């Protein structure tokens, strides 16, 4: 371990520098938000101390890389964005040590810490500095096999001290600096896009590795027509390109971005970004640097924070559970929704274990263009499961995905959505089955078909007939085979949404007085109306709920609801007790009238049974069909036909 403590004699590296004066490459700068948002500051400066809670002050942020530590105070940069995720670099890259450089003005103690996979903290070193000083430490990565971070803290004495700049750097080992294209898919979110164009344009360090920012505009509210676009576009110049195309969903938009970035022949990586995000621009260079130093090509993703609760991390990593075939939190003890304003990185021991994933959400994911050339583009599935399937496809080919801590965006979370009902249920059901047919290692998809049947029945007894119809159509489309996926890609959404007019449960009224008051022939017992099934009672309750669908409907229930049910209480065991109910939507903006329909229930039960019987019988045949078709339907040639472009427009591949 080498040590240098000296007066600062050279200027701080500019934002566009990729190699400091010592020949090392910056892997991660210590950065701070400049918008004065106290909600996000705990992601940059940890407010949790072992003994007390540290008060953070937005005015202490002196600049993008500078922070004031007040007299007598201690500032810990053991935070989400500023600690160094040593175990990820140890596992996935050729890097064997990291160099910490800290530049300060004023008297202070700088203390370096590390943790292990259990979250145990250990002091590595402590140094007193004064005046204009630079501290350099080389720190080994050998012991970070299962987890652990490095970070440092600055302790001020009787006078305040300024952290002028700090960064974590690595020996580049002769590896070149890769460049990337950003591929943004958007549908009627021009305001977000213009804001992110401006963010990219203002960050010189990001632009030093940027070939193009490609925005695939599939909407009717065009990005180029949005207020502020001309100014943002002029700032980014020829590094911005807008591609207009019909609405082909997320899979079509991201495939177009992957296609454009790869066929242009310039970029080493394409970074997929959602449109409705706020980004920490430092994340882009962290992704590309990590990918440059990887042992072999990897997909590198960023985490997702809740845009409306900005200190909350949505998930730390995800896998596909092989028996049920659904998303699952990766790692033992991990969960969703970590609030760093309540519990910092140092205090949350779970976040110190390295988490290995199957895929990363395409809100921010880097894919090497060499991998795109080899594996092809996304499945033509519009939305849902495209990112998970691609991660599994890459993994099967030997290319792992890394969800890299310290790289992230803020994105609208799902807590105010319920995309398992309504038109999106079609895409969930169909694409879950398709991905299982392609990748499931378990005979007949394990518990998938049983779970699918139970979900159909659950929606049916909940009087969600529009959702059931979409799921049944999804199953029929799976049975039709893979070669129709490109054909129905532009049209299926419109067809499904058009059918919503025929179902009361799909019609949302925003007027609070849109429906009559509740009327019951006699009041229900509270214990019966709110009973949640136990393991012992769930099956009898489920059977009773299904059989009830074949009993006569109270005529009065067709005219007035028998209950009003908040979305949080919209559970099958409660809704199934009524012949009608007004149910709130997940986002709280409206409500729908659910009415029990004997004919719809009988038809649904028959189709559920028929579809799943055929899926069970034909599963081996469908596995062979979809797996053989995968290279064909994800190929550049297949997507060119869907995009409506010819090979001579993009000769390089």
């Amino acid at each position: 371990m080498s040590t240098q403590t000296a007066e600062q004699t050279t200027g701080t590296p500019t934002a566009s520098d990729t190699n400091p004066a010592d020949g090392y490459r910056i892997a991660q700068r210590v950065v701070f938000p400049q918008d004065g948002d106290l909600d996000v500051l705990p992601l940059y400066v940890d407010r949790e101390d072992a003994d007390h809670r540290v008060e953070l002050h937005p005015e202490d942020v002196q600049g993008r890389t500078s922070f004031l530590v007040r007299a007598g105070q201690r500032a810990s940069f053991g935070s989400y964005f500023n600690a160094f995720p040593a175990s990820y670099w140890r596992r996935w890259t050729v890097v064997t040590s990291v160099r910490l450089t800290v530049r300060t003005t004023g008297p202070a103690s700088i203390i370096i810490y590390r943790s292990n996979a259990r979250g145990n903290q250990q002091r590595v070193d402590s140094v007193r500095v004064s005046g204009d000083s630079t501290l350099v430490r080389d720190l080994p990565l050998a012991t970070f096999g299962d987890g652990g971070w490095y970070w440092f803290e600055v302790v001020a004495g009787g006078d305040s001290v300024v952290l002028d700049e700090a960064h974590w750097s690595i020996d580049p080992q002769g590896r070149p600096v890769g460049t990337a294209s950003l591929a943004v898919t958007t549908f009627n979110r021009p305001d977000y896009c213009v804001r992110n164009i401006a963010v990219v344009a203002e960050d010189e360090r990001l632009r030093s590795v940027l070939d193009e920012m490609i925005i695939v505009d599939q909407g009717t509210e065009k990005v180029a027509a949005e207020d502020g676009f001309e100014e943002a576009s002029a700032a980014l110049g020829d590094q911005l390109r807008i591609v207009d195309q019909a609405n082909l969903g997320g899979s079509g938009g991201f495939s177009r971005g992957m296609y454009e970035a790869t066929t242009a022949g310039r970029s080493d990586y394409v970074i997929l970004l959602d449109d409705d995000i706020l980004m920490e621009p430092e994340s882009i260079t962290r992704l590309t640097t990590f990918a440059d130093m990887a042992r072999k090509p990897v997909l590198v993703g960023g985490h997702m924070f809740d845009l409306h609760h900005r200190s909350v991390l949505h998930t730390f990593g995800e896998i596909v559970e092989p028996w049920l075939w659904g998303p699952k939190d990766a790692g033992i003890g991990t969960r969703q929704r970590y609030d760093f304003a309540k519990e910092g990185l140092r205090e949350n021991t779970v976040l110190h274990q390295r988490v290995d994933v199957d895929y990363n959400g395409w809100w921010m994911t880097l894919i090497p263009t060499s991998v795109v050339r080899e594996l092809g583009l996304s499945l033509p599935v519009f939305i849902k499961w495209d990112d998970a399937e691609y991660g599994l496809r890459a993994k099967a080919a030997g290319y792992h995905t890394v969800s890299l801590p310290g790289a992230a965006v803020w994105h609208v979370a799902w807590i105010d959505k319920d995309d398992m009902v309504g038109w999106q249920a079609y895409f969930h059901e169909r694409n879950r089955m398709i991905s299982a047919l392609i990748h499931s290692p378990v005979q007949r998809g394990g518990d998938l078909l049983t779970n699918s049947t139970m979900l159909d029945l659950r929606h049916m007894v909940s009087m969600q007939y529009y959702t059931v119809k979409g799921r049944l159509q999804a199953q029929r489309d799976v049975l039709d085979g893979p070669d129709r996926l490109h054909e129905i890609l532009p049209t299926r959404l419109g067809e499904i949404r058009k059918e919503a007019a025929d179902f009361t449960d799909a019609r949302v009224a925003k007027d609070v007085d849109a429906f009559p008051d509740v009327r019951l022939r006699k009041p229900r017992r509270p214990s019966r109306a709110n009973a949640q099934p136990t393991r012992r009672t769930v099956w009898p309750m489920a059977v009773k709920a299904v059989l009830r669908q074949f009993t006569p409907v109270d005529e009065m229930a067709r005219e007035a609801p028998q209950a009003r049910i908040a979305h949080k209480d919209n559970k099958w065991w409660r809704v199934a007790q009524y012949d009608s109910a007004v149910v709130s939507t997940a986002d709280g903006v409206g409500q729908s009238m659910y009415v029990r329909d004997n004919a719809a229930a009988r038809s649904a039960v028959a189709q559920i049974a028929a579809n799943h019987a055929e899926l069970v019988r034909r599963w081996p045949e469908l596995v062979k069909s979809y797996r053989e078709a995968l290279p064909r339907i994800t190929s550049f040639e297949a997507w060119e036909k869907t995009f409506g472009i010819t090979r001579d427009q993009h000769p390089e591949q």
Side-chain angles (χ1 to χ4, degrees), residues 287-570:
L287 294 182
T288 58
T289 305
F290 190 91
D292 284 347
M293 301 306 297
R295 296 173 184 273
K296 58 182 179 180
V298 291
L299 287 67
V300 192
H303 288 140
M304 188 194 100
F305 282 87
D306 186 341
L307 183 61
H308 298 313
H309 194 173
R310 295 185 64 188
S311 61
V312 174
L313 178 65
H314 176 67
T315 180
F316 205 60
E318 293 179 292
I319 61 172
V320 175
E321 199 286 317
W323 283 94
L324 193 60
W325 203 255
K328 179 183 177 182
D329 293 332
I332 299 173
T334 59
R335 64 181 194 276
Q336 293 194 351
R337 301 191 65 77
Y338 297 90
D339 189 349
F340 284 86
K342 295 180 179 178
E343 187 177 35
L345 176 65
R346 294 176 297 162
E347 298 298 306
N348 194 326
T349 58
V350 172
L351 299 182
H352 292 254
Q353 176 181 328
R354 192 190 71 247
V355 172
D356 296 333
V357 302
D358 286 336
Y359 68 97
N360 197 91
W362 280 357
W363 47 75
M364 173 183 272
T365 298
L366 173 150
I367 307 175
T369 51
S370 60
V371 173
V372 176
R373 289 188 183 93
E374 179 180 340
L375 300 185
L377 307 175
S378 169
L379 275 176
V381 292
F382 202 81
I383 58 170
K384 309 301 181 187
W385 282 89
D386 45 357
D387 47 12
E389 187 282 324
Y390 202 92
L392 292 170
R393 195 192 324 168
K395 185 177 181 180
Y399 305 116
H400 289 270
T401 297
V402 180
S403 289
L404 182 65
V409 299
W410 287 270
H411 185 282
V412 176
W414 343 123
I415 58 173
D416 288 333
K417 298 180 180 180
D418 187 359
D419 57 7
M420 301 304 290
V421 299
W423 62 268
Q424 294 186 72
Y426 165 87
F427 294 102
H428 269 295
E429 174 74 348
R430 186 194 66 175
N431 300 344
R432 178 191 181 197
M433 284 194 177
I434 289 174
S435 63
L437 286 164
I438 296 170
H439 297 292
S440 174
V442 185
Q443 187 176 20
R444 284 184 167 79
D447 298 328
L448 169 60
L449 295 180
T450 300
N451 179 255
S452 172
T453 302
M454 298 307 296
L455 289 175
D456 285 345
L457 293 174
R458 185 181 76 179
H459 290 299
M460 188 266 290
V461 302
S462 300
M463 300 180 284
Q464 295 167 342
Y465 301 114
Y466 175 59
T467 296
V468 173
K469 184 174 179 62
R471 288 175 57 85
L472 292 171
Q473 180 62 59
Q475 294 153 16
R476 297 307 309 175
D477 284 349
V478 171
L479 289 163
D480 283 346
D483 289 317
R484 291 194 64 224
L485 290 175
H486 274 283
E487 174 191 340
I488 65 177
L489 180 63
T491 60
R492 187 58 89 215
L493 172 62
E495 294 164 358
I496 293 169
R497 299 197 73 165
K498 185 178 180 180
E499 292 176 340
D502 300 330
F503 296 87
T504 61
D505 57 282
R507 297 198 292 268
V508 177
K510 296 182 179 180
D511 184 353
V512 295
D513 296 319
F515 301 106
D517 291 336
V518 170
R519 280 193 290 170
L520 282 168
R521 295 190 185 277
K522 63 178 181 179
R524 292 175 177 265
R525 295 181 184 274
S527 59
R528 294 183 61 191
N530 297 294
Q532 181 172 341
T534 64
R535 182 174 295 183
R536 181 177 62 84
T537 63
V538 63
W539 283 108
M541 289 182 69
V543 171
K544 182 179 178 181
V546 172
L547 293 177
R548 189 175 182 277
Q549 305 310 304
F550 304 100
T551 62
V553 176
D554 186 339
E555 287 300 321
M556 192 169 72
R558 301 182 192 278
E559 301 172 2
Q562 293 183 336
R564 285 184 178 269
I565 299 176
H567 181 266
K568 70 180 182 65
D569 299 320
N570 184 14

Side-chain angles (χ1 to χ4, degrees), residues 26 75 87 258 479:
I26 295 176
S87 64
M258 294 159 72
L479 289 163

Side-chain angles (χ1 to χ4, degrees), residues 74-96:
R74 180 184 190 125
S76 175
F77 304 103
S79 59
Y80 176 83
F81 278 120
N82 286 327
F84 185 77
S87 64
Y88 291 80
W89 284 84
R90 165 72 170 81
R91 168 64 181 89
W92 298 108
T93 75
V94 297
V95 175
T96 58

